[in-house]
Amino acid sequence: GGRSGTASIHSSPPEGHAITRSENGSKDGRPESLDAAGLPSEHVSSSSQRVTIKGKTVVKSSDTEETDGDSDSSLEDLNVLLAQHQGKIKKREEERAAREILNRYPTNPASAGTRNETRPQKRKGYEIPPTKSYKFSLQTLVAESRKGQASEEKVARARAALGQRKSEDVKMEDASKSVIAPEEAEVDEGLLASVAGDPEREGGVQKVLHAMKRTEALSREKAWNFFSEENQTPISRLPFPENAVSRDTWQGVFVDPRKRSNAIQSGYEIHALSLREELPYELVIWMLDELCVEDRPVLRDELYMTLVERPGPVKDYLTPPVIAQLFARLNARKDAIESTAIVKLHPSKLQHKRPPEREWGNLCAVINLLGDLAPELQHVSREYAIELLCRLLIASDTSKSYSVIVAVEDALSALITSPPASDWQEREKVIIDNLTATILDPRHRLDLASRLPAHPPRLHTFRRALAFAFLTNLVQPDSSPNPHSPQLPTSSSSLLTTLTSYLDTSPLFSITPQTSYPILTAASTLLDIVLADGYAPPATTPKPSPAELEFNNQIDLLAAQIKRVFSTIVDTGASYMHRTEAKECLERLYYRCVFAVRMRPMRKKGLFDGTHAADGGTDREEGFMRRFLAQGKSSSSSIQENATNVE
């Protein structure tokens, strides 16, 4: 017999015999109970452990896994469980979203409140709030149409005014007016109103325009160039004058271009050629032209030395037309080489581009040639050369090159100091009148006077005389330049008196809302150049001489006028840079007058200072002391009388 809970395999019983087993597995010899179908109960009961496999009866234990079906078949599918769980979560989220929407957009205004006040009903989804619908009335359309018409009318008026201004002829007076202040771009108020205007604020466009003018946002700097800004076309060389040399002699080497370069570079043949008694005009012109177009420094230097060593023949051919032609070969502008043409500012075509690179070697060679030949030049050629070199100092393209500035300064020094003193006074007046009549812009006048060398003494005097002419002949908006410039005073008394009265009466130094501060800055700097040392007399020690006292008094009056001018300038912060610069320039001039030009430091005026005898200060001080001592004596006598009475 087998035990309960164990599996055993038995052979089949003999036919006709049946093995009976109770529920606990014991054999009792009784037949097994049958169900309604007539089958043994162990075959239909799920709890039975007896199975028949291939005609054999097998009893399996409860923990075996070798069955026909999987033991986990009775469990539910995991995917089904997860789907049910996710469905519940999704349902809860939909309910939560519906409650939030109902709380945010309640259907009944009276029921609007917190979430706890009303419990929203379950909905399948939430409703999107309706979009707003915009409606345009007839009044708004008419108002927009009127605004558009007003803007178009302003644009049309601005364009008409601009076209009328361009169509007018520019005369000398108009040219002088246009260079008074920095150019300001015209702004279309209608366009500005459409861009930056606020229809709800009155005067918004005017405030914006005022702020733009105050901060100089519309100022456009203009320039004047001596040379053309366009790219220079290839220069064609002049052919060598073969008739000027003898082919059958050693001079025939100059006919062949290849041999000519070697002959010039060696220096012997070209030097021997220049030793001829008379150099032909064609040969001199060819050498001058090669000086302008030759790009090899070695050949250019040899030609330059050859021309300098023979100044006699060259000076007769170096006339103003020839000098102008030399600068024209260097791509100079036509109005720049014309000494009587007015220097007019114009916008640069290459303002937003990089300026073309230039090689200034040829220009420096021509300038140095004029300086070296200065003693041999004619008066007309010398004056014309000085005027052209002064224009080079103020040109925007050449003033940025140090090599050009140095060459111009050296040449001007030689040209101005070469003529005799008797001839120079008359020539100086002619040159100053020409520069004053052709250079009208205050900034250019200031640049020219500032960049002129202060040495030697004659050049320093010329610089001061030119600055005095520029200062007293600054063009006003409603006036034209004076063709005759005043002469610089030659004594300290007359100079200081003239400058003091000019500061007191000139409208340039009268501060008004219409004051042009760039012109005021230029005038202050020119005044500083004119003043220089003020023709100060020799210093004496230990006591000042009468001439020194007079000089110091006049300097004090001039300094007081300068202080009056810059004290009336109300400069709040750095909102207007031109105004700030003008005030600082006047302050520097005041301190230079007080601490540099004045021969002795200014003493503080006091009761016991005896240096002011000229204005009666000593007499007043003595009278004050007498009265003070008299009061002391009377008080002491009264005290003594009281003491005697008490006794």
Side-chain angles (χ1 to χ4, degrees):
R3 295 180 181 180
S4 176
T6 63
S8 62
I9 303 175
H10 304 274
S11 60
S12 300
E15 296 179 359
H17 296 276
I19 298 174
T20 59
R21 188 180 296 272
S22 62
E23 293 181 359
N24 55 5
S26 64
K27 298 180 181 179
D28 54 1
R30 290 179 301 179
E32 296 176 349
S33 61
L34 301 176
D35 58 359
L39 296 176
S41 61
E42 64 180 358
H43 294 283
V44 296
S45 175
S46 61
S47 62
S48 176
Q49 302 294 326
R50 188 186 298 273
V51 294
T52 302
I53 300 175
K54 295 181 180 181
K56 295 181 180 182
T57 304
V58 179
V59 179
K60 61 180 182 177
S61 61
S62 61
D63 55 349
T64 184
E65 295 180 358
E66 298 178 359
T67 57
D68 292 340
D70 191 1
S71 62
D72 296 335
S73 61
S74 62
L75 299 177
E76 295 185 4
D77 191 2
L78 184 62
N79 295 330
V80 176
L81 293 176
L82 291 175
Q84 293 176 358
H85 184 67
Q86 292 178 355
K88 293 179 181 179
I89 293 175
K90 185 176 181 181
K91 187 174 181 181
R92 288 196 213 98
E93 291 178 353
E94 291 180 355
E95 292 177 356
R96 189 183 300 108
R99 286 195 299 270
E100 291 179 356
I101 293 174
L102 289 177
N103 290 334
R104 187 178 300 177
Y105 305 102
T107 56
N108 187 8
S111 63
T114 60
R115 295 182 180 179
N116 298 329
E117 293 178 356
T118 58
R119 186 179 183 85
Q121 298 180 358
K122 295 184 179 180
R123 295 186 180 183
K124 296 181 179 180
Y126 58 90
E127 298 180 358
I128 301 175
T131 58
K132 296 181 180 181
S133 60
Y134 297 92
K135 296 182 180 180
F136 298 94
S137 62
L138 185 60
Q139 295 179 355
T140 58
L141 295 176
V142 171
E144 292 295 335
S145 177
R146 290 178 179 176
K147 290 181 180 179
Q149 291 179 359
S151 300
E152 291 178 359
E153 291 177 358
K154 290 182 179 179
V155 171
R157 288 196 300 268
R159 289 180 178 177
L162 182 61
Q164 183 179 1
R165 181 177 180 181
K166 289 183 178 180
S167 62
E168 294 179 354
D169 296 331
V170 180
K171 299 181 181 179
M172 183 175 180
E173 293 81 2
D174 298 333
S176 62
K177 296 176 185 178
S178 62
V179 298
I180 292 302
E183 184 72 13
E184 292 188 356
E186 296 182 358
V187 181
D188 185 0
E189 296 185 5
L191 182 60
L192 183 62
S194 62
V195 175
D198 190 356
E200 297 181 359
R201 297 178 59 185
E202 297 183 358
V205 178
Q206 297 297 331
K207 292 181 180 179
V208 173
L209 284 175
H210 179 68
M212 295 173 70
K213 292 180 179 179
R214 178 175 53 83
T215 56
E216 302 172 10
L218 303 178
S219 60
R220 296 183 302 177
E221 296 293 337
K222 288 189 175 183
W224 182 80
N225 296 328
F226 192 89
F227 296 93
S228 178
E229 296 180 354
E230 300 177 356
N231 294 330
Q232 185 176 2
T233 57
I235 301 176
S236 59
R237 295 173 178 264
L238 292 179
F240 183 79
E242 300 179 0
N243 299 329
V245 296
S246 300
R247 288 177 173 267
D248 300 335
T249 61
W250 60 270
Q251 300 177 5
V253 296
F254 291 98
V255 179
D256 189 359
R258 292 176 296 179
K259 296 181 180 180
R260 185 192 312 140
S261 300
N262 296 331
I264 295 175
Q265 187 172 357
S266 65
Y268 176 76
E269 287 84 356
I270 190 65
H271 178 70
L273 183 63
S274 64
L275 293 178
R276 299 170 58 179
E277 295 181 358
E278 293 183 1
L279 287 177
Y281 174 77
E282 296 81 3
L283 183 59
V284 174
I285 295 300
W286 178 84
M287 296 174 68
L288 291 173
D289 186 77
E290 285 293 317
L291 193 66
C292 298
V293 299
E294 181 59 55
D295 54 352
R296 289 172 289 186
V298 177
L299 301 181
R300 187 170 59 237
D301 294 342
E302 291 296 336
L303 291 171
Y304 168 76
M305 294 302 299
T306 302
L307 292 171
V308 171
E309 290 176 357
R310 292 298 305 275
V314 177
K315 68 175 183 179
D316 297 332
Y317 303 140
L318 206 58
T319 58
V322 174
I323 297 175
Q325 184 63 26
L326 293 179
F327 282 96
R329 293 286 285 173
L330 295 171
N331 200 26
R333 297 163 55 94
K334 293 183 179 180
D335 57 344
I337 59 179
E338 186 178 354
S339 61
T340 58
I342 298 176
V343 176
K344 298 179 182 179
L345 298 177
H346 58 85
S348 178
K349 296 181 181 180
L350 302 175
Q351 185 176 3
H352 303 289
K353 299 181 181 180
R354 185 178 180 180
E357 297 182 358
R358 294 180 181 270
E359 177 61 37
W360 302 109
N362 300 95
L363 176 62
C364 292
V366 174
I367 295 173
N368 293 330
L369 179 65
L370 294 175
D372 292 336
L373 298 179
E376 306 295 335
L377 293 178
Q378 302 176 3
H379 295 297
V380 181
S381 301
R382 189 184 296 111
E383 294 174 6
Y384 180 73
I386 292 174
E387 293 167 0
L388 287 187
L389 295 181
C390 288
R391 293 190 171 210
L392 284 174
L393 286 177
I394 64 175
S396 301
D397 47 1
T398 56
S399 61
K400 299 177 182 179
S401 175
Y402 293 103
S403 59
V404 176
I405 295 298
V406 171
V408 169
E409 290 179 353
D410 295 340
L412 281 174
S413 178
L415 289 168
I416 292 176
T417 58
S418 58
S422 58
D423 297 339
W424 171 245
Q425 293 181 359
E426 182 180 357
R427 300 299 174 184
E428 181 185 21
K429 181 77 167 55
V430 175
I431 295 173
I432 291 177
D433 290 343
N434 177 269
L435 295 176
T436 307
T438 56
I439 301 176
L440 305 178
D441 183 58
R443 293 170 297 175
H444 281 170
R445 290 185 171 186
L446 176 60
D447 292 341
L448 178 56
S450 302
R451 294 170 184 173
L452 282 174
H455 184 78
R458 181 182 293 184
L459 189 57
H460 177 62
T461 304
F462 173 75
R463 178 172 178 257
R464 293 180 62 186
L466 183 62
F468 183 76
F470 284 164
L471 174 64
T472 56
N473 199 14
L474 282 178
V475 181
Q476 298 296 325
D478 298 330
S479 62
S480 59
N482 186 9
H484 301 287
S485 57
Q487 294 184 357
L488 178 68
T490 57
S491 63
S492 62
S493 178
S494 59
L495 176 64
L496 297 177
T497 303
T498 303
L499 295 180
T500 305
S501 61
Y502 180 76
L503 286 173
D504 190 19
T505 58
S506 176
L508 291 176
F509 295 93
S510 179
I511 307 303
T512 60
Q514 291 76 27
T515 299
S516 178
Y517 291 101
I519 300 180
L520 182 61
T521 304
S524 303
T525 310
L526 291 174
L527 179 62
D528 191 3
I529 296 174
V530 173
L531 179 61
D533 61 346
Y535 300 117
T540 58
T541 54
K543 295 183 179 180
S545 61
E548 182 179 347
L549 292 175
E550 180 66 21
F551 177 79
N552 291 337
N553 291 335
Q554 292 181 350
I555 287 294
D556 293 340
L557 294 177
L558 179 63
Q561 288 291 338
I562 297 173
K563 187 175 182 180
R564 176 191 60 82
V565 176
F566 76 76
S567 298
T568 55
I569 300 177
V570 180
D571 186 27
T572 56
S575 59
Y576 191 26
M577 293 307 300
H578 284 315
R579 181 175 59 194
T580 305
E581 292 175 358
K583 187 171 184 178
E584 291 180 354
C585 184
L586 288 169
E587 289 179 354
R588 288 195 301 268
L589 179 57
Y590 169 76
Y591 290 119
R592 197 178 82 84
C593 291
V594 174
F595 297 103
V597 181
R598 201 176 192 278
M599 301 187 66
R600 294 177 186 270
M602 182 184 298
R603 296 184 179 181
K604 294 182 179 180
K605 294 183 178 181
L607 295 176
F608 303 99
D609 190 2
T611 59
H612 306 286
D615 56 353
T618 305
D619 298 337
R620 290 197 299 269
E621 293 161 4
E622 292 178 356
F624 173 78
M625 292 302 298
R626 289 193 184 95
R627 291 192 299 272
F628 177 76
L629 294 175
Q631 292 178 0
K633 291 180 180 180
S634 62
S635 60
S636 61
S637 61
S638 61
I639 292 173
Q640 291 178 359
E641 292 178 358
N642 294 332
T644 54
N645 295 332
V646 169
E647 291 177 356

